[in-house]
Amino acid sequence: MRSFHGGSSLACLILAIAAFARAESQEPDLGSARVVFQTNYGDIEFGFFPSVAPRTVDHIFKLVRLGCYNTNHFFRVDKGFVAQVADVAGGRSAPMNDEQRTEAQKSIVGEFSDVKHIRGILSMGRYDDPDSAQSSFSILLGDAPHLDGKYAIFGRVTKGDETLKKLEQLPTRREGMFVMPTERITILSSYYYDTRAESCEEENSTLRRRLAASAVEVERQRMKCFP
């Protein structure tokens, strides 16, 4: 009996570890919006976690829609750690209009979560004040568990890891705590789209093709019956 009980306990322990591992590996659902940064080294596409950081997502997406990240740059590239986008208020090469400036100067409440800082995750930059995030954010280039729960995660990269790898190969210099590229990595432009709209368009296109094929078959059958 002891042997059976021990085996049962071991099985329960294995199941518990497996369940914990699944929970740890699960990430929040991505929303349907996608943003693409077109840089001078390639495109980077990312999506948002609206269920994790709704205020942060709304703020960043509004900055994108206003074109605030256009002509901005990545001021920091620390291989295996982060590639960080500069605050748009000081990082753009083009001047901002009043609407852009007003949105860029807003600070967002720190929406900290239990989502892990792993490669591809988007995490807000901030000062010592936990509610000081504005428009600067980092793309994780590796796992950084020491950041977990301290910086607001709001999305992840969906395409463009090859671009991130290019950035990691660029020459850098160290300035204090920051590792910075020696040449400017510019966000030339940005755009956004909705994956649901693309899915609907694909479905509509497929339906149109099927309807067209059905119409051809109906006509073919009619001609056979009534030559």
Side-chain angles (χ1 to χ4, degrees):
M1 285 294 291
R2 283 196 297 270
S3 176
F4 177 80
H5 184 266
S8 178
S9 298
L10 179 60
C12 289
L13 178 61
I14 291 171
L15 288 173
I17 292 172
F20 178 77
R22 284 196 300 273
E24 285 287 293
S25 64
Q26 287 177 347
E27 69 172 31
D29 291 334
L30 281 171
S32 59
R34 296 289 184 273
V35 170
V36 178
F37 281 174
Q38 298 181 297
T39 81
N40 51 329
Y41 288 94
D43 293 356
I44 302 169
E45 179 189 285
F46 56 88
F48 297 112
F49 295 146
S51 63
V52 173
R55 293 183 181 180
T56 305
V57 169
D58 287 347
H59 176 62
I60 295 296
F61 196 31
K62 185 171 183 180
L63 289 173
V64 170
R65 295 197 305 272
L66 290 173
C68 292
Y69 287 99
N70 297 347
T71 77
N72 195 20
H73 69 116
F74 286 84
F75 80 93
R76 179 184 189 187
V77 178
D78 197 338
K79 185 176 181 179
F81 183 36
V82 296
Q84 188 168 354
V85 178
D87 270 314
V88 298
R92 285 166 50 103
S93 59
M96 290 193 294
N97 60 39
D98 290 341
E99 186 178 13
Q100 290 172 328
R101 189 174 297 104
T102 297
E103 190 64 26
Q105 290 173 347
K106 291 181 180 178
S107 294
I108 306 301
V109 172
E111 295 179 297
F112 309 126
S113 67
D114 57 1
V115 182
K116 305 302 181 185
H117 283 78
I118 60 175
R119 186 178 179 88
I121 283 291
L122 309 183
S123 181
M124 290 299 290
R126 63 173 177 82
Y127 298 105
D128 290 339
D129 181 349
D131 300 330
S132 60
Q134 292 186 314
S135 60
S136 176
F137 65 88
S138 293
I139 299 175
L140 271 290
L141 300 176
D143 297 351
H146 62 287
L147 303 181
D148 292 347
K150 300 176 182 177
Y151 294 85
I153 288 174
F154 65 94
R156 69 168 173 83
V157 171
T158 51
K159 293 179 184 178
D161 192 60
E162 65 282 358
T163 300
L164 296 180
K165 289 176 180 176
K166 288 180 186 177
L167 302 189
E168 289 186 278
Q169 300 306 313
L170 295 176
T172 58
R173 67 182 187 278
R174 180 173 288 277
E175 291 191 13
M177 65 175 287
F178 296 123
V179 177
M180 308 170 74
T182 56
E183 54 192 85
R184 187 178 175 89
I185 304 169
T186 303
I187 301 170
L188 303 170
S189 63
S190 61
Y191 66 90
Y192 60 92
Y193 69 96
D194 195 304
T195 56
R196 290 176 303 187
E198 285 208 344
S199 177
C200 287
E201 181 56 37
E202 288 176 5
E203 290 175 5
N204 289 339
S205 178
T206 301
L207 180 59
R208 286 194 294 270
R209 288 197 301 271
R210 288 176 178 172
L211 288 173
S214 297
V216 170
E217 180 62 20
V218 167
E219 180 63 17
R220 190 178 70 82
Q221 294 295 333
R222 189 186 70 80
M223 292 300 293
K224 285 176 61 178
C225 295
F226 306 99

